[in-house]
Structure formats: structure tokens, C-alpha cells
Amino acid sequence: MLKAPACSIWFVTGSQHLYGAKALAQVAANTAAVVDGLNASGALPLPLVAKPVMTDAEGIRALCRAADADPACAGLVLWMHTFSPAKMWIGGLSRLSKPFLHLHTQFHRDLPWASIDMDFMNLHQAAHGDREAGHLHTRLGLERTVVVGHWQDARVQAELGGWMRAAHGWAALQGARFVRFADNMRNVAVTDGDKVEAEAVFGFSVLAHGVGELAAEVAAQEDAAIDHLCAEYDQRYAVAPALRRGGDRHHLLRGQARIELGLRAFLERGGFSGFTDNFEDLTGLEQLPGLATQRLMADGYGFGAEGDWKTCALLRAMKVMGAGLPGGTSFMEDYTYHLDPQRPLVLDAHMLEVCPSIAAGRPSLEAHPLGIGGKADPARLVFDAAPGAALNASLVDLGGRFRLIVNRVDTVPPPAPLPRLPVARAVWAPLPDFATACAAWIHAGGAHHTAYSAAVDISMLRAFSSMARIELVEIGPGTELERLRQELRWSAAAWRR
């Protein structure tokens, strides 16, 4: 299992010395109560850590420098308990590289109408202080998420938790390394791109290694380890009889086990968070990694087929965002359509590499000819995706800038059995409707490779795109094609460097 980085979120409260030591002590006590209450709520995926109340520019600069220097700090939550003159925050926030959320709340939910006086008003004036802070954030052009409401409200806690998941996914990309076995699929545009620009924007690097290096690692795996892994397959999946020990195709299953062990060893030794491969270059491998890739994705690794490093990195970030949530997240590809005018649907699949985290039931483990690549029949998990609400996300390079395109979808059971399609697949109706969604996707430049998720929601990807300072195009309920096309024209001007 590839673990996400161990992270926390710093909770930073703003005030000033104007109110005196007694008031500041109360602000600190209230801050501790808010942090303890939020941590105990069960709604947050990361721990909140209370920091000292900020009352001057020097302290704020020191705190922001410390946050940037601490790899375990995934971001900050800012709250102005009282009025905190915003010019004090310029030196720190203008240099802060970590993402932050502005929590617009106050300690008490209800006002004590019968006893309220000016001392109470001065102490509990986030309505005043947070507006001052918000003005400065906008003046400085700072990207952030704003959550509004009482900190004990379930909606507020859920929004804060979603932002934390996005911050965790963002943190997982900082310094991440992805390995690209072979090059991009020949002559394909959308899977290629500017890896130098991507490292500057997202913080991850893409490193090329020859397939021969992987093949050598695969060949070095011992039979005892392969035996053990094949026994695990028997326990976890509905293995086709011919692939079981003693079956006439058991060697194909052993081939995928050998590849999985070699891939894991290569990724772990190199500190990689994901990988890409390409069926056009399998030098030294007897099969295209199928089952091996599916299981590595299930363990949290990013993946992109045909050299698609952008989807690989996005998938890794989304795996971290959705960790522990129901659903699942997978590499996916838009393949073909069911154009029934009463209910048009998209059939998504890939040759082999769909993650079993999205499966509706226990996957079957089968081996079938691939038809391309000229290698042995690869073993793979075959299943249908679980029905329900999901989203499909594509990260594309538009030349000098990146765009994240997200379409919300309703995944459904296949209208009929698919006995001759031995791959994992998902069938869905894109929102708001088939024609609008597909046209919007094409106008926005979306790729055919995507990161599909029933765990990650749109709010997390909104926050993620804000942290990356890239454009987000949402396609879903309420999308109107002509309005979206006009917004894309505006975006072309607004995002041009």
C-alpha cells in the first residue's frame, strides 16, 4: 500500500493587542475549544493543530515561514476571532506557499440578547475581522477557499473536511516522482505535454526509465514470491479455472504476478508515486501489465496508459483525496456510446487497467487475447463499476497553462450483459444530458483518458484547482452549452500569461 504523506492542518486565529491580555487569553481558549471540537467531530480527515493567536506582523511572518518549511503542514485554516488589522498579514501571506482556507465563523452560535454589551461585541467580531481579512486576500490575489457558518454545523465541518482532502492530495504531489516507462504513444497529442511546466505548477516530476530496466526487475522475482501472490489472487478474486494452479493457462497468471512484484519493487526503490506504460514498447516483458496495474492502483498508485503522465498524477492526487471514503477512484477511458435516443449512455473501459476499487462486486480474474502489442494474453480483473453518482476528471495541457475539466455523471448497471467484453467497465449517463456534456467536453479540450471517482466530489477538485492556480471547467447540472462556450472564450483571455 502506497501511503499518503502524514499531514496536519494548522489552525491560525487572528486578533490584535488592542483588546488587552484578558481578551487575548479568552481568544486563545476559544480557539482551543474550536480546534478540539472540530477534531472530535469525526468529519475531518486530518488533524487540526492550534497555533498561537496572531497579533503582529513579525509573528505572522514567522508562522508563515514555519508552515512553508514544515513538510507535515498541508495547509492552514485562518479565522479572525476579533478585528485583526489586515496590513499585519501582508508580509506573511504574500510569501506563503501552502494553501489556506478562510473559515468565517464565530465562537458562539447564538447571541446572548439579554446580556450582550460592547465587551462581548469587541471580543466576538469575526463579522468585522473576516471581512477585513477577505479584502486583503482579494487585494493580494490570493487563491483560497472560504467556508461560512458556525463551526459546529455539520455542513461547515463537511466543507472543511472536503478542503482538507484536497490539501492532502495537493501535499501528495509536492516532490512526488512518477516514472514513465517508454515514451508517449506515437502521434497522440492529448497524452503528451510540458513536464517542466507541470513540475513548476504542480510540484511533481516525471522521470523516464527504459522498459528494459523494468524487465530486469521483473525477471529477478523468485518463484516462491510468485507462488505466494498467486495464492492471494485465489483468495481475493473469482479466478478462472484455467488460471488456477494446475490449469493450462496458469503460466499467464504467474506472468502477471511476476510483473506485479517487479513493478512494486521498482516503484518502492525509486520512491515513485505512480507510473505510465505503453503497449507500443514492451521490450523484455511477456505481457502488458494488466492485473498488476489494477492492483497497484487499488493500493493508491497513480497510473496513466500510453505514457499519459498527467492522468497518472491526477489519479494519485485523487486517490489521496478519496482515501477512506466509500466509492473508489480509477484510471478510465471514454470508449464508445449507446445512442438510444431515450437514454444515451457512455461505455467507459480500457484494455486492461481499471481499478477494482470501483467494482460493484467481487471481480473475476481472467486471461484473454489483447489484440494489440504482440504479447502473451494478459490476465486482468473483469467487473462492472458500482452504480451511483460519480465524476470524470481530465487534466490537459493547453500550451502555457493547464485546465482541469470535470463532468459529473450517473453510473448505471449495463443495460444488458457483456459476455464478450472481458474487461472492467463503467456505464454512465453524463450530466446535464448526453449531447450537452459531450459537446462541452470537446469544446473544453477534455482528453479521452480520465480519473474517474465515486469517492471524490466536485468541491475537492474546486479546492485543488484553486491550490494549483489552474482553470477549472465544470460540466454538470445547470450547464448550458453556449454560456459555457462564452466562458471558455473569457477564460482564454483571463488565463493567458
Side-chain angles (χ1 to χ4, degrees):
M1 180 67 70
L2 177 64
K3 294 182 179 180
C7 293
S8 63
I9 301 293
W10 292 8
F11 192 95
V12 182
T13 302
S15 187
Q16 60 177 325
H17 287 289
L18 177 67
Y19 305 109
K22 183 178 179 181
L24 287 177
Q26 187 62 54
V27 169
N30 290 351
T31 296
V34 170
V35 170
D36 289 345
L38 288 171
N39 281 331
S41 70
L44 307 186
L46 298 176
L48 275 178
V49 177
K51 292 295 175 177
V53 177
M54 293 292 104
T55 57
D56 57 54
E58 182 179 351
I60 293 168
R61 283 194 299 270
L63 176 118
C64 290
R65 286 195 299 268
D68 281 340
D70 187 351
C73 173
L76 292 75
V77 173
L78 305 185
W79 170 44
M80 303 303 123
H81 190 303
T82 69
F83 189 73
S84 182
K87 288 173 67 175
M88 298 189 306
W89 294 79
I90 294 173
L93 293 184
S94 62
R95 292 164 177 79
L96 179 70
S97 65
K98 295 290 175 76
F100 74 91
L101 176 144
H102 187 180
L103 179 60
H104 186 41
T105 190
Q106 62 185 30
F107 184 67
H108 295 288
R109 192 194 71 172
D110 301 324
L111 289 176
W113 299 103
S115 61
I116 190 170
D117 56 19
M118 284 309 300
D119 286 340
F120 184 97
M121 295 275 279
N122 285 332
L123 186 62
H124 302 281
Q125 55 171 317
H128 187 185
D130 279 334
R131 281 170 167 77
E132 166 79 351
H135 166 76
L136 180 76
H137 302 162
T138 298
R139 172 74 182 269
L140 296 180
L142 302 178
E143 288 291 334
R144 77 280 193 192
T145 294
V146 179
V147 173
V148 178
H150 192 256
W151 58 274
Q152 292 177 315
D153 186 90
R155 175 192 58 80
V156 170
Q157 293 173 355
E159 291 182 14
L160 177 56
W163 177 84
M164 281 186 171
R165 289 184 174 276
H168 202 191
W170 178 252
L173 291 186
Q174 306 314 301
R177 292 154 51 89
F178 298 97
V179 58
R180 196 180 190 197
F181 297 114
D183 200 0
N184 186 59
M185 184 177 175
R186 291 189 273 278
N187 292 318
V188 177
V190 74
T191 51
D192 217 331
D194 189 337
K195 296 185 286 294
V196 174
E197 183 69 11
E199 186 164 356
V201 171
F202 298 102
F204 63 80
S205 59
V206 182
L207 306 174
H209 283 265
V211 183
E213 295 180 69
L214 174 60
E217 190 74 64
V218 169
Q221 301 307 306
E222 298 181 352
D223 286 343
I226 295 170
D227 291 340
H228 185 270
L229 189 52
C230 286
E232 180 182 332
Y233 297 161
D234 284 340
Q235 292 180 344
R236 297 194 61 178
Y237 312 116
V239 182
L243 294 179
R244 293 183 178 273
R245 179 181 292 275
D248 61 357
R249 291 167 69 79
H250 182 63
H251 65 284
L252 298 175
L253 185 61
R254 293 182 65 81
Q256 282 295 322
R258 185 181 293 277
I259 292 173
E260 178 180 339
L261 291 168
L263 254 174
R264 284 187 186 277
F266 194 102
L267 296 172
E268 290 171 3
R269 188 175 65 253
F272 295 112
S273 296
F275 67 100
T276 74
D277 59 23
N278 187 347
F279 69 90
E280 290 182 323
D281 188 353
L282 297 174
T283 304
L285 296 179
E286 65 178 31
Q287 301 178 21
L288 177 64
L291 173 64
T293 298
Q294 291 177 298
R295 284 172 50 83
L296 284 162
M297 277 194 286
D299 280 349
Y301 284 94
F303 172 75
E306 292 100 46
D308 187 353
W309 52 269
K310 295 187 295 298
T311 302
C312 171
L314 177 62
L315 180 64
R316 169 57 180 162
M318 290 173 62
K319 284 284 189 181
V320 174
M321 292 182 213
L325 294 177
T329 303
S330 177
F331 173 80
M332 193 64 78
E333 177 173 291
D334 296 314
Y335 236 107
T336 191
Y337 296 140
H338 177 62
L339 292 177
D340 179 353
Q342 299 302 314
R343 196 185 192 195
L345 298 169
V346 183
L347 172 57
D348 269 48
H350 205 254
M351 297 181 296
L352 302 171
E353 309 97 344
V354 177
C355 179
S357 67
I358 68 170
R362 188 186 187 201
S364 63
L365 179 47
E366 308 171 16
H368 299 273
L370 189 59
I372 56 178
K375 294 290 183 176
D377 301 346
R380 82 293 298 268
L381 298 174
V382 178
F383 56 85
D384 293 317
L391 55 77
N392 216 23
S394 172
L395 180 63
V396 296
D397 183 349
L398 296 180
R401 65 188 179 98
F402 293 91
R403 172 183 284 168
L404 181 60
I405 304 153
V406 183
N407 186 195
R408 282 186 267 183
V409 304
D410 285 330
T411 303
V412 300
L418 296 161
R420 295 174 59 84
L421 186 64
V423 295
R425 58 265 170 158
V427 178
W428 65 63
L431 302 176
D433 59 74
F434 179 87
T436 300
C438 291
W441 189 271
I442 290 171
H443 278 296
H448 57 288
H449 287 171
T450 60
Y452 165 91
S453 185
V456 173
D457 67 35
I458 188 65
S459 71
M460 300 176 201
L461 294 183
R462 286 178 187 140
F464 177 83
S465 64
S466 175
M467 294 169 192
R469 298 183 69 91
I470 63 170
E471 180 188 5
L472 174 67
V473 175
E474 296 183 34
I475 304 168
T479 296
E480 297 177 7
L481 185 59
E482 291 308 312
R483 184 176 66 186
L484 182 136
R485 292 184 66 191
Q486 187 63 49
E487 290 171 354
L488 291 175
R489 296 185 186 102
W490 297 335
S491 294
W495 289 90
R496 183 179 296 119
R497 290 186 176 180

